[in-house]
Amino acid sequence: MHMLRPIAIVIAFAVLIGVADSPRAWSDEGVCNPNADYFLGTEDYVQAIASHRRLIALQPDNAFAHYHLGFAYGMTGNRAQELAEYREAAALGLRQWDLYLNLGRALLESGDLPGATDALTTAVALGPDHPESHFNLGLAYERRGILPAAREQMAASLKLDPNQPDARNMLGLIYAEADDYSHARQIWTELVRTQPDFDPARRNLAILNHMVDGPNREHAPDLRELRTASAADPR
């Protein structure tokens, strides 16, 4: 399982060359400071961290600056600081679906499943038309073993964007975990047919067929193997 990277934040910023950082009020457009956000746009996260820290020293209540600083920390793998800055942005009143999505994903990575569920529920409430909010909330429910809710969220994500092999693969895993092997097989068979290069579904289908139809068919499928085969899911 690989490290979660934060969902990209879209920043509308002006490129200012040779202008020192100066206090600016954060706005509805999501720009906390054009110079600081410039480094996010160029993916220079070391400079983004430094510039946002300077900005926060001048404007400690700038919620967007804390959010963007948390995003930069996340892109450098500093999970503790990422979480701290996201929480500060939320405490300051920032209500953006992608803030709560990134907070939820970071909490998933850190193993705080109840906290991730709460954050991602807020992400869905604030951004119901974004499939990634439903997808990640479905992951949180699946990891907690709350399978009906996990299935509902994966289905909602796929309704918004049917072209998500990861979501379809995870829906198959959720059905398998609920002992509904028929639906799991149906999903993985169709995914292999339509996405022949998507290896997790091919491996999951092979494991399921072996465990259900092979010499060990009297045993339930080994869900640990199915989870391993689903390693492409962003957890």
Side-chain angles (χ1 to χ4, degrees), residues 2 25 47 79 212:
H2 60 275
Q47 286 298 322
R79 185 71 65 222
V212 173

Side-chain angles (χ1 to χ4, degrees), residues 3 29 202 207:
M3 185 187 76
E29 288 75 23
R202 184 178 299 280
I207 292 168

Side-chain angles (χ1 to χ4, degrees), residues 50-96:
S51 60
H52 281 89
R53 284 173 61 89
R54 290 195 298 270
L55 177 60
I56 287 170
L58 297 171
Q59 298 180 11
D61 293 336
N62 186 327
F64 273 111
H66 285 284
Y67 173 27
H68 295 173
L69 177 57
F71 178 87
Y73 275 129
M75 295 303 291
T76 63
N78 190 333
R79 185 71 65 222
Q81 286 298 119
E82 179 188 16
L83 282 169
E85 295 300 332
Y86 290 162
R87 285 171 170 146
E88 184 63 21
L92 288 168
L94 185 57
R95 300 283 291 178
Q96 286 199 176

Side-chain angles (χ1 to χ4, degrees), residues 66-190:
H66 285 284
Y67 173 27
H68 295 173
L69 177 57
F71 178 87
Y73 275 129
M75 295 303 291
T76 63
N78 190 333
R79 185 71 65 222
Q81 286 298 119
E82 179 188 16
L83 282 169
E85 295 300 332
Y86 290 162
R87 285 171 170 146
E88 184 63 21
L92 288 168
L94 185 57
R95 300 283 291 178
Q96 286 199 176
W97 74 273
D98 51 319
L99 165 63
Y100 284 91
L101 174 63
N102 281 323
L103 174 59
R105 284 165 54 88
L107 289 167
L108 271 177
E109 180 73 6
S110 66
D112 183 353
L113 300 184
T117 304
D118 288 344
L120 292 165
T121 298
T122 301
V124 166
L126 295 174
D129 295 332
H130 294 276
E132 53 266 59
S133 296
H134 295 280
F135 177 83
N136 284 277
L137 181 55
L139 287 183
Y141 280 130
E142 183 272 331
R143 291 180 68 175
R144 297 179 68 184
I146 308 175
L147 300 181
R151 185 170 60 247
E152 178 182 346
Q153 291 301 320
M154 284 297 164
S157 182
L158 285 164
K159 184 177 181 179
L160 291 167
D161 179 8
N163 298 315
Q164 297 182 83
D166 283 328
R168 292 167 65 191
N169 181 56
M170 283 303 304
L171 185 58
L173 178 60
I174 291 165
Y175 274 116
E177 290 178 319
D179 298 333
D180 188 343
Y181 307 133
S182 176
H183 274 102
R185 175 180 285 160
Q186 179 181 345
I187 289 170
W188 285 329
T189 298
E190 178 64 12

